[in-house]
Amino acid sequence: MKAIRYSAVAAAIIGTLTSCAATENAQTQGQDTAQKAPAFYGTQEPFAAEAVYFVVTDRFVDGDPENNHEDQGGEFPTWDLRLEGPDGKHANVGYMGGDLKGILNNAEYIKDMGFTAVWMTPVVDNPDQAFSGDEQITYGGQFKDGGKTGYHGYWATNFYQPDEHLISDDLSVKDYTHAMKTQFGLKSVFDIVANHGSPSFTMPEDQPGYGELYDKDGNLVADHQNLHPEDLQPESNPLHAFFHPYPDLVKLSNLDDTNPDVRDYLINSYLYWIEQGADAFRIDTIRHVPHSFWKEASDRIRAEHPGFYMFGESFQYDANFIAQHTQPKNGQISVLDFPMQKAMLKVFENPAESDFAEMEEVLHLTHGPYHNPYDLTTFYDNHDMPRMNATDDGFINAHNWLFTVRGIPVVYMGSEIGYMRGTAEHAGNRNYYGQENIDAAPQNAIYQSLKAIANVRKSVPALQSGLQVNVRLAGNEAVFYRVLQDDEAQQTALVLLNKGATPADFNVNQYMQPGSWQEQLSGNRTMLAEGESLQTTVGANGVQVWVREGQINNPELIATLAAQMEVQ
């Protein structure tokens, strides 16, 4: 059945191509024509043009020591709570000073690398003490909150109030987003939460902020009162009505999404942060809240802000599962591409033993479960998992892949120098990055390669939203096209990747079009005649991106593009 559809499409498109070729000849002879080339694209999502740099704000750069609040917390201090590990290793669960001014002061650094957006951990207010309940966290520990603070922003006590550690007297959240956009052309991705607030029970004595929620006017609207969820009485106690009477994640309050007041509280807070300059949302723990909530949230948000882009964290490696969030009936919210993340680790942590063929299945270019795979955010690690444990070459190869394949690339702060590679959350993953590392980064080989390929993507629309057509993914080599043909661009990009330790010769004839091709990193040009192959040598751990401007004219390629658009 698939073959029959392909044949029919191919025949129709080749007929169109013949007509287009005749039209081009007529135009050459100065004759008018109304013939229009077929449109080919992977996505029309505007946010697909972006590349995202992800920052755990408190751990990036301390731009304003005046907002550190180093004496905060009393008997439960919050500043610089170091976890000692073996052999001098350490982590930290206290505040370390990073703030919005630290990001803004380094916006030029982020922009120069080729990024166009910065995703920050939540900016909302968190408790002012370290948590005294649960089991005590230790170096390398997991799923324990004792002794930790809300430096990361995910323990909200007020979804409308910025945390005092992040803003400055002369820099509000709105000031920050405005400056990032107008001075540096950088968009702001805000991290939002719906399923939980702060840790809320098991404290020896109830602590201020924990288990509490305040509204935009500072009024207390919910209080867990240090009770186990099963001891809550939401039907008789109004302060319990915001919570489910059963636990979900560790000791965090479990917000009741079925309560209309909770839905209004949360969704109105999201709308508030858009007013403060959010250009997109990353949604934490999206799978812990039902689709019905996100459908209502997305409908309300896009009613006021049409086309607003959102992507969620559904920490699962099953594409069929996470793809449900992307369906229009569930809010059409994109997701972080965990299946590709898993495959990227397999390929780039062990390049000498891995095969690019591992990547083909996770692309889901045709007949996939996603509403549109080109709208996914792609990444290889983040703050919630061990950082990629690769060599410098492994990082270089990962970036060459990430910035040329379908999807919207996201890179975690520090990965431009391979910072704290291989470390988990409480073993160094979130250690303070700091100005010293940023200032030294341009001398790092990973940084230099990332900057080169990220800026190529930034300047080549086909790499942002073009259809991907694979020629070969095998061994150390990947060959694929990204093709964009619409009212604004007619562009073909041919990507050649070599993750091997020695140079590799490439001879590409399939789908090849005659004309002028320019390699984007070297600036080299070649003119190909009809039927001629593109022949080149790609260096070890290298990438080449050859771009041809102009209408697509290869019949086989056109037929493939048309068929692929039908089944992506």
Side-chain angles (χ1 to χ4, degrees):
M1 185 68 181
K2 217 178 291 181
I4 293 173
R5 174 189 283 184
Y6 183 92
S7 298
V9 171
I13 293 299
I14 289 173
T16 301
L17 173 65
T18 303
S19 177
C20 288
T23 296
E24 287 183 345
N25 291 334
Q27 288 176 327
T28 302
Q29 297 166 15
Q31 300 175 14
D32 292 333
T33 177
Q35 181 66 52
K36 185 176 181 180
F40 301 124
Y41 51 84
T43 180
Q44 294 181 306
E45 166 58 58
F47 204 82
E50 314 303 334
V52 182
Y53 189 71
F54 169 43
V55 169
V56 176
T57 306
D58 175 74
R59 302 306 171 82
F60 188 56
V61 171
D62 185 357
D64 180 9
E66 296 298 317
N67 65 12
N68 287 350
H69 302 282
E70 296 180 26
D71 58 351
Q72 190 179 72
E75 62 179 312
F76 303 106
T78 62
W79 178 255
D80 194 12
L81 306 177
R82 189 175 169 111
L83 303 178
E84 300 294 344
D87 304 320
K89 297 176 182 177
H90 69 277
N92 205 294
V93 292
Y95 286 90
M96 300 192 72
D99 47 36
L100 296 181
K101 189 168 283 189
I103 301 175
L104 184 59
N105 289 348
N106 289 283
E108 194 69 39
Y109 166 82
I110 296 169
K111 176 184 176 181
D112 284 350
M113 268 192 292
F115 294 99
T116 60
V118 178
W119 155 24
M120 306 169 291
T121 42
V123 300
V124 298
D125 197 25
N126 276 230
D128 296 339
Q129 295 182 342
F131 185 57
S132 64
D134 202 8
E135 296 179 71
Q136 186 75 18
I137 189 64
T138 55
Y139 178 87
Q142 287 184 297
F143 308 116
K144 301 173 183 178
D145 285 335
K148 293 163 63 174
T149 67
Y151 71 89
H152 42 67
Y154 294 101
W155 290 358
T157 60
N158 190 328
F159 279 74
Y160 295 81
Q161 178 73 28
D163 194 273
E164 69 276 11
H165 297 86
L166 304 182
I167 57 175
S168 301
D169 289 342
D170 59 349
L171 190 71
S172 67
V173 173
K174 194 168 189 175
D175 293 336
Y176 162 83
T177 58
H178 180 74
M180 291 288 279
K181 185 174 295 183
T182 58
Q183 296 178 31
F184 304 100
L186 291 169
K187 294 183 177 178
S188 295
V189 180
F190 279 43
D191 208 321
I192 62 170
V193 183
N195 72 304
H196 70 266
S198 60
S200 300
F201 57 103
T202 70
M203 292 169 277
E205 293 185 14
D206 199 2
Q207 294 177 262
Y210 286 102
E212 299 170 1
L213 283 175
Y214 295 84
D215 66 14
K216 62 182 179 180
D217 298 318
N219 301 310
L220 182 68
V221 294
D223 190 350
H224 218 278
Q225 297 177 328
N226 200 23
L227 297 171
H228 190 280
E230 293 178 356
D231 294 328
L232 294 173
Q233 298 177 320
E235 294 182 359
S236 59
N237 187 336
L239 290 177
H240 295 175
F242 266 43
F243 309 115
H244 283 298
Y246 52 86
D248 183 19
L249 293 173
V250 285
K251 304 303 184 291
L252 299 173
S253 60
N254 187 6
L255 298 181
D256 184 1
D257 55 273
T258 67
N259 183 335
D261 292 335
V262 173
R263 295 200 300 271
D264 280 344
Y265 176 88
L266 292 170
I267 296 170
N268 287 336
S269 76
Y270 308 152
L271 291 167
Y272 171 78
W273 291 114
I274 295 175
E275 293 172 4
Q276 307 312 303
D279 295 294
F281 285 149
R282 179 265 189 181
I283 301 171
D284 186 62
T285 51
I286 190 173
R287 69 186 179 92
H288 290 262
V289 178
H291 295 306
S292 58
F293 174 88
W294 293 117
K295 182 66 167 70
E296 179 181 341
S298 62
D299 285 350
R300 287 181 55 184
I301 289 169
R302 289 171 181 150
E304 296 189 29
H305 306 278
F308 192 84
Y309 179 77
M310 295 175 273
F311 64 101
E313 176 225 19
S314 185
F315 204 139
Q316 292 282 322
Y317 294 106
D318 180 353
N320 290 302
F321 180 87
I322 68 174
Q324 295 306 306
H325 300 286
T326 72
Q327 302 305 324
K329 66 179 181 179
N330 296 328
Q332 198 170 328
I333 295 169
S334 191
V335 288
L336 286 155
D337 192 348
F338 279 89
M340 183 186 284
Q341 182 268 332
K342 183 178 181 180
M344 286 187 71
L345 292 189
K346 190 171 183 180
V347 170
F348 299 117
E349 285 189 334
N350 302 289
E353 304 158 14
S354 65
D355 191 328
F356 259 127
E358 295 277 353
M359 307 304 300
E360 188 144 20
E361 184 177 351
V362 297
L363 287 168
H364 293 287
L365 298 179
T366 61
H367 300 91
Y370 303 106
H371 181 65
N372 190 331
Y374 293 83
D375 295 344
L376 303 183
T377 43
T378 51
F379 70 112
Y380 52 77
D381 67 17
N382 63 25
H383 60 321
D384 286 330
M385 59 177 61
R387 285 181 178 262
M388 185 166 69
N389 192 17
T391 64
D392 286 7
D393 289 339
F395 276 93
I396 289 169
N397 286 316
H399 293 146
N400 288 341
W401 170 265
L402 195 67
F403 283 83
T404 54
V405 297
R406 67 101 179 111
I408 303 167
V410 178
V411 175
Y412 181 29
M413 68 178 197
S415 293
E416 64 267 32
I417 63 170
Y419 183 63
M420 301 304 297
R421 65 191 82 190
T423 60
E425 177 184 346
H426 296 115
N429 173 300
R430 302 185 187 180
N431 280 9
Y432 184 74
Y433 190 43
Q435 196 65 50
E436 185 176 344
N437 279 317
I438 288 174
D439 292 343
Q443 283 70 55
N444 188 282
I446 301 173
Y447 169 96
Q448 294 166 4
S449 177
L450 168 60
K451 179 178 178 178
I453 194 61
N455 277 289
V456 168
R457 185 186 189 275
K458 191 175 184 178
S459 65
V460 177
L463 293 182
Q464 301 164 15
S465 54
L467 272 174
Q468 179 167 340
V469 177
N470 293 334
V471 174
R472 182 175 72 256
L473 299 178
N476 289 329
E477 299 177 8
V479 180
F480 55 87
Y481 290 92
R482 299 292 305 277
V483 182
L484 180 62
Q485 182 163 279
D486 58 19
D487 292 337
E488 297 182 2
Q490 295 180 331
Q491 189 176 73
T492 304
L494 172 63
V495 178
L496 308 175
L497 298 171
N498 171 27
K499 67 178 180 65
T502 58
D505 295 330
F506 287 76
N507 185 330
V508 183
N509 181 262
Q510 189 175 6
Y511 304 132
M512 185 51 64
Q513 301 170 83
S516 176
W517 292 79
Q518 182 173 28
E519 205 285 303
Q520 300 299 293
L521 291 129
S522 65
N524 292 338
R525 287 183 179 273
T526 187
M527 181 67 71
L528 298 181
E530 186 72 45
E532 191 175 1
S533 300
L534 189 146
Q535 300 182 40
T536 187
T537 299
V538 179
N541 306 297
V543 57
Q544 292 183 9
V545 180
W546 292 87
V547 172
R548 175 189 180 273
E549 304 289 351
Q551 186 172 323
I552 317 305
N553 62 16
N554 180 299
E556 183 186 9
L557 177 58
I558 289 179
T560 299
L561 292 167
Q564 199 159 306
M565 283 196 70
E566 284 196 353
V567 296
Q568 74 177 35

